[in-house]
């Protein structure tokens, strides 16, 4: 955790939870893992004050704790990812409101404020809210009064609320809270390792068994993360006996967890009508009718699912800017179908290929491919796919730039037209020409005209010649099946379905042939199977962001140098390392300018310098100095700079609020909010409008900077 991250997270905690919680979080972030006595010493707080501050931070998952089973000493540790997620709360609530409605946004807002809550407590609080106009939410047996941490008003009935919670959980935006959720990852791993060794390797671990131990530790951590419990071990066998892997272990553990917690409503509730006023996700029906979560289930907001949706939205915007709106909608549907199988962007517990080979595990990558048929089933049927696919005639294509570079003699338009079959470049080809078949193949061509055919091949394939009336073969359907002439044409619905599949496939092929690896064609099932390799795709996008930043800050020459050093000489090879003379001769620049720009980029942290001695003497004058581009380090440098900008933006907001504290306090009064025009003076109204404009711009800047951080770190 860098210095900028600590300062940014501390400001976020102070803005929402106050100075007391911010002081405790800051001490834990700077000092690291501390016990209760050390925490009292560093914070210099009273025991009651420290206890109250820790209670708030633990409830919000901002502080993790672990009690050693041997000496019963409790250690506390700051959890900065949860603190940074506070800056995305507004985006998350807006996203939920867009998908499920305003009532769902209110439920998620309350869960974000409370940290976590039991399903039964949420339902009771909303029932009391409907009866009395106010409510008190009980969290795990503890009562929290109304006020800044109270539950917002809502008119949802009990049944609608249960249905809404079911749908949010089913979509992945809510998740179950287990005991391991409040403990550091290192402590969870140590306990999992002790359990594995105790039950599978009681006599010790041999060197060849270390890979198997690592695999079993990951599998146990996955069970705990997906709701398998923290203190129990499934199907424990006597020590020294290894349990064989069963078929159930190969199933999706998240699906098994959800199957356990769904419970049917009472028969009287099942017969009631559930309102369909709330919108469903991606066109699904109200599948949650008659279903509800276990009342004793403790839930929280799943930020990992929201990051997946952010990645989908970002990739959709990139496709829209590079290819078009319709293609981006097709790609968005593909991303949505993939997100149903990938609950998180990064899974540190996922088994690698070598680890799967050790345990002969089921290859989950096979499930990550989506077919064209699946996309067509969920895609909006009213979307006009053909309007975004252009068709260009052969006469409108200039084939001269496609001529062979080694040819000394330029091919004329008359020669190209003669090869195609026309008399001149402006004349259309005759339907009776025997040199071209119906499918565009060329008959009996002289070998001497191979160069001319190479130039005209592109024009022949873009638009097939017109069909003849007597000798043309029967028309070929889009799926490639040849039907006899006597066969009756297929129904209109079948033609539309086949045509739509071909149109979707055309848009997917546009994405496949794009310079960026948006997707990969991996199979033929369902009119084509597609898969997205997120790592290389996002690496290209991060590199593009780095080059754009370098160009904006240091100019065009810095961009040329960074592009030269960041692009590999061939696919699959690392970026080059070059001396100043090599760079100067390759880019045709002055040595003075090259040396100054390289030094500038090196000071900024975007380029690295490696010293390689020529001989054993290691004299400075006889060494090679190689410049190279380290993308991972450059990303870390840019990430630290962006986090520093976010910190300064929040400090600016705080300073502006402090300067206008009197006016803002008056504007927040209930009577003033009802009648600002009558109770505020002209100067006050002018200052208030200016402040709201500045606040909107600063918050917008904060959101854009968060988008950069998300791309560099979370995607």
């Amino acid at each position: 955790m860098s210095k900028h991250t600590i300062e940014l997270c501390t400001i976020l905690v102070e803005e929402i939870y106050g100075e007391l919680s911010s002081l405790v979080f800051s001490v834990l972030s700077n000092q690291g893992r501390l016990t209760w006595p050390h925490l009292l010493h560093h914070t210099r707080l009273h025991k009651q004050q420290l206890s109250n501050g820790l209670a708030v931070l633990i409830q919000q998952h901002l502080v993790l704790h672990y009690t050693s089973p041997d000496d019963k000493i409790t250690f506390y540790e700051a959890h900065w990812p949860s603190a940074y997620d506070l800056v995305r709360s507004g985006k998350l609530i807006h996203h939920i409101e867009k998908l499920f409605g305003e009532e769902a946004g209110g439920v998620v807002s309350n869960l974000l404020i409370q940290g976590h809550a039991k399903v039964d407590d949420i339902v009771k609080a909303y029932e009391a809210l409907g009866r009395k106009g106010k409510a008190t939410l009980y969290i795990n047996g503890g009562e929290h009064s109304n006020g800044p941490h109270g539950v917002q008003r809502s008119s949802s009935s009990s049944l609608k609320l249960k249905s809404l919670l079911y749908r949010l959980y089913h979509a992945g935006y809510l998740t179950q809270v287990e005991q391991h959720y409040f403990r550091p990852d290192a402590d969870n791993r140590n306990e999992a390792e002790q359990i594995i060794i105790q039950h599978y390797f009681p006599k010790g671990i041999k060197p060849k068994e270390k890979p198997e131990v690592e695999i079993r530790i990951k599998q146990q951590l996955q069970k705990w993360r997906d709701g398998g419990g923290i203190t129990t071990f499934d199907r424990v066998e006597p020590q020294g006996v290894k349990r064989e892997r069963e078929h159930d272990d190969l199933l999706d553990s998240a699906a098994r967890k959800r199957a356990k917690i769904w419970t049917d409503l009472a028969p009287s509730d099942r017969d009631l009508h559930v309102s369909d006023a709330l919108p469903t996700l991606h066109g699904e029906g109200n599948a949650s009718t008659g279903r509800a979560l276990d009342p004793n289930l403790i839930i929280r907001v799943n930020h990992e699912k929201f990051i997946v949706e952010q990645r989908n939205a970002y990739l959709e915007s990139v496709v829209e800017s590079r290819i078009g709106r319709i293609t981006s909608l097709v790609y968005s549907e593909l991303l949505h179908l993939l997100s149903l199988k990938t609950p998180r962007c990064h899974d540190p517990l996922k088994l690698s290929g070598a680890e799967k080979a050790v345990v002969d595990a089921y290859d989950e990558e096979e499930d990550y491919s989506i077919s064209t048929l699946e996309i067509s089933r969920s895609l909006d049927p009213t979307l006009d796919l053909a309007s975004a696919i252009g068709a260009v005639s052969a006469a409108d294509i200039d084939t001269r730039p496609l001529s062979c570079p080694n040819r000394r003699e330029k091919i004329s338009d008359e020669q190209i037209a003669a090869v195609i079959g026309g008399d001149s470049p402006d004349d259309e080809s005759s339907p009776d020409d025997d040199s071209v078949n119906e499918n565009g193949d060329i008959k009996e061509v002289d070998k001497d005209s191979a160069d001319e055919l190479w130039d005209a091949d592109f024009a022949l394939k873009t638009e097939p010649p017109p069909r003849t009336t007597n000798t043309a073969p029967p028309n070929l359907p889009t799926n490639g099946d040849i039907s006899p002439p006597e066969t009756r044409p297929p129904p209109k619905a079948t033609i539309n379905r086949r045509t739509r599949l071909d149109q979707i496939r055309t848009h997917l092929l546009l994405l496949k042939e794009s310079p960026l690896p948006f997707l990969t064609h991996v199979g033929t099932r369902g009119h084509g199977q597609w898969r997205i390799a997120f790592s290389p795709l996002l690496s290209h996008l991060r590199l593009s962001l780095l080059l754009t930043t370098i160009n904006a800050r240091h100019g065009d020459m810095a961009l040329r140098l960074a592009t030269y050093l960041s692009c590999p000489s061939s696919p699959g090879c690392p970026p080059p390392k070059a001396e100043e003379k090599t760079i100067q001769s390759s880019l045709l620049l002055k040595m003075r300018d090259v040396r100054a720009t390289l030094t500038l980029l090196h000071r900024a942290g975007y380029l690295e310098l490696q010293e390689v001695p020529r001989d054993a003497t290691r004299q400075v004058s006889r060494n090679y100095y190689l410049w190279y581009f380290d993308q991972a380090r450059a990303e870390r440098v840019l990430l630290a700079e962006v986090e520093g900008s976010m910190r300064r933006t929040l400090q600016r907001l705080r300073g502006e609020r402090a300067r206008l504290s009197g006016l803002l306090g008056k504007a927040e009064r209930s009577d003033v909010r009802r009648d600002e025009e009558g109770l505020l003076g002209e100067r006050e109204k002018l200052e208030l409008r200016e402040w709201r404009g500045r606040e909107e711009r600063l918050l917008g800047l904060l959101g854009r900077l968060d988008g950069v951080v998300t791309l560099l770190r979370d995607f």
Side-chain angles (χ1 to χ4, degrees), residues 366-543:
E366 296 297 330
D367 291 339
Y368 291 171
S369 62
I370 302 297
S371 65
T372 309
L373 187 60
E374 293 178 81
I375 299 175
S376 66
R377 290 171 180 171
S378 58
L379 192 63
D380 184 7
T382 62
L383 189 63
D384 187 6
L385 300 175
S387 62
I389 303 175
V392 182
S393 62
D396 296 333
I397 299 177
D398 184 10
T399 59
R400 287 174 295 180
L402 302 177
S403 58
C404 299
N406 296 329
R407 291 196 46 139
R408 297 181 180 179
E409 201 172 318
K410 182 178 179 181
I411 301 175
S412 64
D413 296 339
E414 289 77 8
Q415 291 174 320
I416 296 175
V419 174
I420 296 177
D423 297 335
S424 65
D426 298 331
D427 296 337
E428 297 182 357
S429 59
S430 174
D432 298 330
D433 187 9
D434 295 330
S435 63
V436 181
N437 280 333
E438 179 68 23
N439 58 357
D441 296 335
I442 302 175
K443 299 180 180 179
E444 299 180 358
V445 180
D446 189 6
K447 296 181 180 179
D448 296 335
S449 60
D451 293 334
E452 288 83 353
L453 295 178
W454 188 89
D455 293 333
D457 181 63
F458 181 75
L460 289 174
K461 291 185 178 180
T462 52
E463 181 177 350
R467 289 194 292 269
T468 59
T469 56
N470 299 326
T471 61
N475 187 23
L476 298 179
T478 54
N479 61 352
D481 297 334
I482 301 177
S483 303
E486 300 80 12
T487 305
R488 180 177 299 178
K492 184 176 180 180
T494 306
I495 295 177
N496 292 339
R497 181 172 177 270
R498 291 176 178 175
T499 304
R500 190 167 182 80
L501 283 173
D502 289 336
Q503 292 172 353
I504 294 175
R505 180 180 173 84
T506 302
H507 284 282
L508 295 175
L509 288 175
L510 286 175
L511 292 166
K512 175 182 176 297
E513 298 299 331
S514 174
L516 290 179
F518 286 113
L519 52 80
T520 307
H521 187 226
V522 295
T524 59
R525 180 182 61 85
H527 215 68
Q529 292 176 276
W530 313 89
R531 184 182 299 167
I532 300 178
F534 289 104
S535 297
L537 173 58
L538 294 171
S539 178
H540 279 77
L541 295 176
R542 285 192 288 265
L543 177 60

Side-chain angles (χ1 to χ4, degrees), residues 170 183 260 467:
H170 184 70
R183 304 164 71 171
K260 294 178 182 179
R467 289 194 292 269

Side-chain angles (χ1 to χ4, degrees), residues 5 50 66 159 213 224 344 362 369 460 504 525 581 627:
T5 305
L50 180 58
Y66 175 75
L159 186 59
V213 173
W224 290 349
R344 53 187 59 86
Y362 174 70
S369 62
L460 289 174
I504 294 175
R525 180 182 61 85
K581 293 182 179 179
W627 295 91

Side-chain angles (χ1 to χ4, degrees), residues 12 206 239 442:
L12 289 171
K206 300 179 181 179
Q239 296 184 3
I442 302 175

Side-chain angles (χ1 to χ4, degrees), residues 664-683:
L664 296 179
K666 181 179 180 180
E668 290 175 358
R669 285 165 34 187
S670 58
D671 57 337
V672 176
R673 283 184 294 183
R674 287 193 298 265
D675 186 16
E676 286 187 358
E677 295 294 331
L679 298 179
L680 292 179
E682 293 298 330
R683 183 176 179 180

Side-chain angles (χ1 to χ4, degrees), residues 79-94:
H79 189 240
W80 67 266
S82 296
Y84 184 83
D85 287 337
L86 296 174
V87 80
R88 299 172 179 159
S89 300
K91 292 182 180 180
L92 175 58
I93 295 173
H94 177 73

Side-chain angles (χ1 to χ4, degrees), residues 638-663:
L638 181 59
L639 179 62
E641 294 176 353
V642 173
E643 288 178 342
S645 300
M646 295 179 69
R647 173 183 58 83
R648 291 188 294 271
T649 303
L650 289 174
Q651 290 176 343
R652 170 75 180 277
L653 274 172
R654 181 192 300 176
E656 292 286 343
R657 289 196 186 103
R659 186 174 63 86
L660 300 174
S661 58
L663 176 60

